[in-house]
Amino acid sequence: NEKKNIKRIVEILKTKKIVSIISDAGTPTVSDPGKIIINECIKKKIDIYPIPGPSAAVASISISGFSEKYYFYGFFPEKNKDLNRDLNKNRAEVECILFCSAIVESVS
């Protein structure tokens, strides 16, 4: 269906109408159909907005265009050697690595 309707969907999106990808099996494009539409929107510079569920990580992956193979790393380890070891371990197999970051502020 996606391949068959992609041109029509892009034409609708260019008119600034709202189009939603809705799934009954999880977040669209993450182990679910929708990647073709997302990648076409990225290619045509059409804005995409996820509506996050309980996970901001999954929401960001869903509109990245890299939703088939990704690795959620989490927070960086304190030692560079540990980070290098972890990154080198999976780099040939993974298209996208998602990192967490934290802003730490002191409150007086």
Side-chain angles (χ1 to χ4, degrees), residues 66-99:
F66 301 103
S67 60
E68 286 192 15
K69 279 187 165 184
Y70 65 93
Y71 176 72
F72 180 76
Y73 186 82
F75 294 99
F76 292 118
E78 290 185 27
K79 296 181 180 178
N80 282 338
K81 71 175 185 158
D82 294 334
L83 176 62
N84 287 329
R85 179 201 63 222
D86 291 351
L87 294 179
N88 286 322
K89 185 169 43 175
N90 293 317
R91 76 180 192 191
E93 298 175 21
V94 178
E95 293 178 14
C96 176
I97 300 175
L98 181 64
F99 297 97

Side-chain angles (χ1 to χ4, degrees), residues 18-74:
I18 296 172
V19 175
S20 299
I21 300 174
I22 300 170
S23 170
D24 63 355
T27 300
T29 78
V30 178
S31 298
D32 198 48
K35 184 177 181 181
I36 294 169
I37 294 169
I38 294 296
N39 285 334
E40 193 66 21
C41 288
I42 291 169
K43 196 182 328 176
K44 304 271 188 202
K45 299 189 184 315
I46 296 171
D47 292 335
I48 310 164
Y49 302 96
I51 299 175
S55 171
V58 172
S60 64
I61 287 292
S62 74
I63 62 166
S64 71
F66 301 103
S67 60
E68 286 192 15
K69 279 187 165 184
Y70 65 93
Y71 176 72
F72 180 76
Y73 186 82

